[in-house]
Amino acid sequence: MSEQSASGLKRWIDDRFPMTSTWRYHMSEYYVPKNINFWYYFGSLSILVFVILILSGIWLMMYYQPSAEQAFSSVHFIMRDVDWGWLVRYMHTTGASAFFIVVYLHMYRGLLYGSYQKPRELLWITGVLLYLVLMAEAFMGYVLPWGQMSYWAAQVIISLAGAVPVWGEELVIWLQGGFIVNEATLGRMFAMHTVALPLVLLALTFVHIVGLHHVGTSSPDGVEIKKLKDANGKPLDGIPFYPHVVIKDTFAFGIFLILFCGVLFFVPDFFGYFIESPNLTTADPLQTPESIHPTWYFRAWYGMLQSIPSQNLGIVVMLGASFILLFLPWIDRGQVRSIRYRGLGYKVGLAVFTLSFIVLTWSGSKSPTGLPVLLGQIFTVVYFGYFVFLWAYTYFGFEKTKPVPERVTS
């Protein structure tokens, strides 16, 4: 195609669809801080993993049978008899854990650099909502193989809805499609996992990206690059997303895919963390596994649940631990964003908060007796205590911060 023809085609499209202006707004003329570091890779990596999961999931749907009698055997048919079926299935299971890894690191970057503070409150909220929907999506996907752990995890998690006042029992029956976990339950999980929740995730992702490009990417220094612009209106401390950041993200994609394929081809179960051995046995309602616990990315919340003797209180605490993240922009009243310039108390508090999440993840993988329960109780208090400390520390002006530079540092 000649240059003149290409130009004519572009004008024809622009008259009917804002292709060029959209490209400029979101790519070539969208400026990001020039000192972004590796922490900023995880947002784009989460999109990459999401695409892997959608493509592999569509392929798996062609062979999977959402039936209590055939679900388990259809998964093994994919693994053994379908050409490259084992590869696509492992792409999906490895991708699920990889998704949570990059999302957790992406959210942690927000904590490090105060990416939830003004004017990014709504951006943070949409991100947390994405995470909450992702947890529901992952749980329903975990049920679909219809192995022992899938069945009993569904039994435990769905029964928690019974704690809802007034409508609890009716809600459990509706979710199960009957009085016990059965084929109707599997059908509901399949519909939600493959259609409903992916649509919600896509919508929230769109809103999240549009919101990001409206307020701009935060910098590791917490400096707003929009404040200082040259005569042409371009940020002095910014670089265009395309091609500079795209090249960096492409490099990150390459490193990530090397690690991803290393797990995919050599340890797809990742020593029992990505695919648990009880789930290699078909679901049996008459035989309870020795230990029922969720997959690794839910275990911090499960550690809270099993450490509290009252189930209803445990459910409230577990849900509160997730939903409290929505209010973080108003809990943290600090005037400085980046951890580079925040007070020692904030740094120690964030370190202890991180430790609490790790310990709770460990306790959620153990039987609810002895030391795991004790540590679960202690670090549940520490987890919520962090938010109380953060509010008091910043609201009453205890934090002693360092001077924030007017421009981003190299």
Side-chain angles (χ1 to χ4, degrees), residues 356-379:
S356 70
F357 192 83
I358 294 171
V359 174
L360 286 168
T361 299
W362 173 83
S363 68
S365 66
K366 304 299 178 182
S367 299
T369 57
L371 183 61
V373 171
L374 177 61
L375 290 178
Q377 292 170 344
I378 292 172
F379 282 94

Side-chain angles (χ1 to χ4, degrees), residues 94-146:
T94 304
S97 287
F99 206 176
F100 275 94
I101 291 172
V102 296
V103 166
Y104 278 136
L105 291 172
H106 183 56
M107 295 175 71
Y108 195 69
R109 190 263 291 176
L111 299 179
L112 289 175
Y113 298 139
S115 300
Y116 49 83
Q117 293 187 353
K118 184 181 178 180
R120 298 180 179 85
E121 300 95 331
L122 283 176
L123 185 64
W124 173 261
I125 289 172
T126 57
V128 175
L129 291 176
L130 267 167
Y131 170 64
L132 296 175
V133 176
L134 175 60
M135 287 201 293
E137 171 77 352
F139 161 68
M140 293 175 185
Y142 188 71
V143 174
L144 296 185
W146 211 240

Side-chain angles (χ1 to χ4, degrees), residues 10-11 13-14 17-26 28-29:
K10 188 179 77 169
R11 285 196 304 272
I13 294 175
D14 284 335
F17 182 82
M19 181 183 71
T20 302
S21 59
T22 301
W23 171 264
R24 288 174 178 171
Y25 184 80
H26 292 287
S28 62
E29 294 181 7

Side-chain angles (χ1 to χ4, degrees), residues 31 34 225-231 233-239 407-408:
Y31 284 79
K34 63 183 180 182
I225 64 171
K226 291 183 177 181
K227 291 182 178 180
L228 293 174
K229 298 182 179 180
D230 61 16
K234 299 178 180 178
L236 295 174
D237 294 318
I239 54 175
R407 298 183 60 177
V408 300

Side-chain angles (χ1 to χ4, degrees), residues 19 24 27 48 91 171 210 217 278 311 315 354 362 392 404:
M19 181 183 71
R24 288 174 178 171
M27 299 293 286
L48 172 64
M91 284 176 63
L171 183 58
V210 171
T217 303
Q311 186 187 64
I315 295 170
T354 306
W362 173 83
V404 179

Side-chain angles (χ1 to χ4, degrees), residues 117-360:
Q117 293 187 353
K118 184 181 178 180
R120 298 180 179 85
E121 300 95 331
L122 283 176
L123 185 64
W124 173 261
I125 289 172
T126 57
V128 175
L129 291 176
L130 267 167
Y131 170 64
L132 296 175
V133 176
L134 175 60
M135 287 201 293
E137 171 77 352
F139 161 68
M140 293 175 185
Y142 188 71
V143 174
L144 296 185
W146 211 240
Q148 268 290 72
M149 198 60 72
S150 297
Y151 178 87
W152 288 98
Q155 187 83 43
V156 171
I157 299 302
I158 293 176
S159 68
L160 298 181
V164 175
V166 184
W167 300 291
E169 289 188 15
E170 288 80 4
L171 183 58
V172 170
I173 293 173
W174 181 80
L175 289 172
Q176 291 179 163
F179 294 99
I180 60 172
V181 173
N182 55 45
E183 185 162 322
T185 313
L186 187 60
R188 281 162 164 74
M189 299 295 107
F190 180 72
M192 294 293 288
H193 181 74
T194 58
V195 180
L197 291 181
L199 289 176
V200 176
L201 285 172
L202 285 169
L204 284 172
T205 300
F206 173 78
V207 172
H208 192 66
I209 293 174
V210 171
L212 170 65
H213 287 204
H214 179 69
V215 298
T217 303
S218 62
S219 73
D221 294 304
V223 176
E224 293 293 339
I225 64 171
K226 291 183 177 181
K227 291 182 178 180
L228 293 174
K229 298 182 179 180
D230 61 16
N232 297 319
K234 299 178 180 178
L236 295 174
D237 294 318
I239 54 175
F241 187 82
Y242 177 85
H244 302 286
V245 179
V246 171
I247 292 172
K248 287 186 175 183
D249 284 347
T250 303
F251 171 77
F253 286 1
I255 299 298
F256 171 81
L257 289 174
I258 290 172
L259 297 174
F260 183 83
C261 291
V263 174
L264 181 65
F265 289 112
F266 296 102
V267 279
D269 64 339
F270 205 72
F271 313 105
Y273 285 96
F274 291 1
I275 301 177
E276 298 166 308
S277 55
N279 232 26
L280 300 177
T281 305
T282 187
D284 185 353
L286 302 178
Q287 183 178 355
T288 307
E290 293 182 6
S291 177
I292 301 175
H293 53 261
T295 193
W296 71 269
Y297 36 79
F298 293 143
R299 289 180 186 175
W301 318 121
Y302 190 69
M304 296 180 185
L305 176 66
Q306 71 176 9
S307 66
I308 299 175
S310 169
Q311 186 187 64
N312 289 351
L313 179 59
I315 295 170
V316 171
V317 169
M318 181 181 68
L319 294 177
S322 300
F323 283 94
I324 197 173
L325 295 172
L326 291 167
F327 302 96
L328 188 57
W330 296 276
I331 293 173
D332 183 1
R333 310 300 291 271
Q335 301 302 309
V336 173
R337 295 190 181 99
S338 175
I339 195 172
R340 295 178 177 181
Y341 308 106
R342 299 205 65 163
L344 178 62
Y346 179 83
K347 296 175 182 177
V348 173
L350 184 58
V352 173
F353 175 76
T354 306
L355 177 64
S356 70
F357 192 83
I358 294 171
V359 174
L360 286 168

